[in-house]
Amino acid sequence: MKPSKPPGEIIPISFDTEHHQQGFVHSIETGAAVDGPGMRFALFVSGCQFRCLYCHNPDTWKLHNGKSYTVEAVMTELSKYASFLRIAGGLTISGGEPLMQAHFVGEIFRRAKHDLKLHTALDTQGFLAAHLDDAWFDNVDLVLLDIKQSDPVKYEALTGKPLQPTLDFAERLQKMGKPVWVRYVLIPGISDDFADVEKLADYLQPMKNVERVEVLPFHKMGENKWAELGMKYELTDTPSPTMDLVERVRDQFRQRGLFTC
């Protein structure tokens, strides 16, 4: 019996006319404070196969909506801040979904780690990770793993993709001993069900590599982008969670001994 093919696709490696490796970048933030430890240089690459209902950057979904950058151009920009980042934080690559451009992202991580001696973090859903061997993650110090629901049916309704590849990646990271921060977006009526949170907390409890769980309150700051792109935003009438609800969910994780913020 043939092994099943990994889901989704990683785009092929790409070069410009001068044979410099290149990829597509949505934006760069040089003082990011919520994308890993300390102050980060956050590189947001374009391209994503998920269609999350609450996405605040739907303009990252299409790969070619981003601007073409060579690896050298990214490194030139990153190098400007390297001396500060070495003591204050590091590099985070997010998206979109960065693993769609795994060749481009992997080379940036390699150079950031070996040439600039920076702490590196990858913000991902892990859906495409089965396409990559363990060695690809050697230059990643921390994975910010987005787990958006514990119920497979609700997860697929929220994201348009199945949950299992993300859970497979979480278990693989545990075997690798790779530090993980789990990110959980709290949406009233979608991801706040007590039993669903309990299930996720129980799942994460034995994973000693999970350093924290970040409970992120839902917001609608990207709603205008949906309108600009001519798409219907399904969560217009969904409120942000109350602080009481946020604390209830955080306490569910804390009760399993998980550090939560």
Side-chain angles (χ1 to χ4, degrees), residues 4-34:
S4 59
K5 182 182 177 182
E9 293 184 357
I10 287 172
I11 68 166
I13 192 168
S14 175
F15 299 93
D16 68 8
T17 55
E18 297 180 353
H19 208 68
H20 296 131
Q21 189 175 343
Q22 64 183 355
F24 293 92
V25 173
H26 171 263
S27 57
I28 293 172
E29 186 175 348
T30 57
V34 293

Side-chain angles (χ1 to χ4, degrees), residues 190-204:
I190 293 179
S191 60
D192 62 339
D193 182 80
F194 187 89
D196 293 340
V197 177
E198 289 286 281
K199 183 178 179 182
L200 180 57
D202 286 339
Y203 177 78
L204 296 175

Side-chain angles (χ1 to χ4, degrees), residues 10 13-15 19-23 43 45 69-76 78-79 91 93 98-118 120 122 132 135-140:
I10 287 172
I13 192 168
S14 175
F15 299 93
H19 208 68
H20 296 131
Q21 189 175 343
Q22 64 183 355
L43 180 73
V45 296
Y69 272 74
T70 63
V71 171
E72 285 76 10
V74 172
M75 295 307 300
T76 296
L78 179 59
S79 296
L91 165 69
I93 303 183
L99 295 187
M100 273 192 72
Q101 299 194 64
H103 300 292
F104 178 62
V105 167
E107 181 61 11
I108 293 169
F109 274 141
R110 186 188 70 80
R111 297 194 192 184
K113 193 72 192 162
H114 292 277
D115 298 348
L116 301 181
K117 313 301 181 187
L118 296 180
T120 56
L122 169 70
L132 305 169
W136 189 94
F137 298 93
D138 287 349
N139 296 312
V140 177

Side-chain angles (χ1 to χ4, degrees), residues 55-164:
C55 181
H56 58 273
N57 283 318
D59 50 329
T60 65
W61 291 354
K62 293 183 179 180
L63 183 72
H64 294 89
N65 279 356
K67 180 181 177 182
S68 179
Y69 272 74
T70 63
V71 171
E72 285 76 10
V74 172
M75 295 307 300
T76 296
E77 190 66 19
L78 179 59
S79 296
K80 296 175 185 177
Y81 307 94
S83 59
F84 170 74
L85 293 170
R86 274 192 288 271
I87 59 173
L91 165 69
T92 297
I93 303 183
S94 184
E97 170 47 60
L99 295 187
M100 273 192 72
Q101 299 194 64
H103 300 292
F104 178 62
V105 167
E107 181 61 11
I108 293 169
F109 274 141
R110 186 188 70 80
R111 297 194 192 184
K113 193 72 192 162
H114 292 277
D115 298 348
L116 301 181
K117 313 301 181 187
L118 296 180
H119 179 275
T120 56
L122 169 70
D123 182 8
T124 180
Q125 297 144 0
F127 182 75
L128 297 172
H131 292 271
L132 305 169
D133 59 23
D134 287 357
W136 189 94
F137 298 93
D138 287 349
N139 296 312
V140 177
D141 294 311
L142 173 69
V143 175
L144 309 176
L145 181 61
D146 303 307
I147 303 181
K148 303 168 189 297
Q149 242 289 357
S150 65
D151 179 273
V153 174
K154 294 178 184 178
Y155 184 96
E156 192 154 352
L158 175 61
T159 70
K161 295 295 178 184
L163 171 61
Q164 193 58 49

Side-chain angles (χ1 to χ4, degrees), residues 194-208 210 213 248-260:
F194 187 89
D196 293 340
V197 177
E198 289 286 281
K199 183 178 179 182
L200 180 57
D202 286 339
Y203 177 78
L204 296 175
Q205 183 180 24
M207 295 185 173
K208 304 304 181 186
V210 175
V213 178
R248 189 216 83 194
V249 171
R250 286 174 175 163
D251 281 342
Q252 287 182 262
F253 291 110
R254 289 174 185 139
Q255 288 168 13
R256 305 306 195 286
L258 296 160
F259 177 78
T260 307

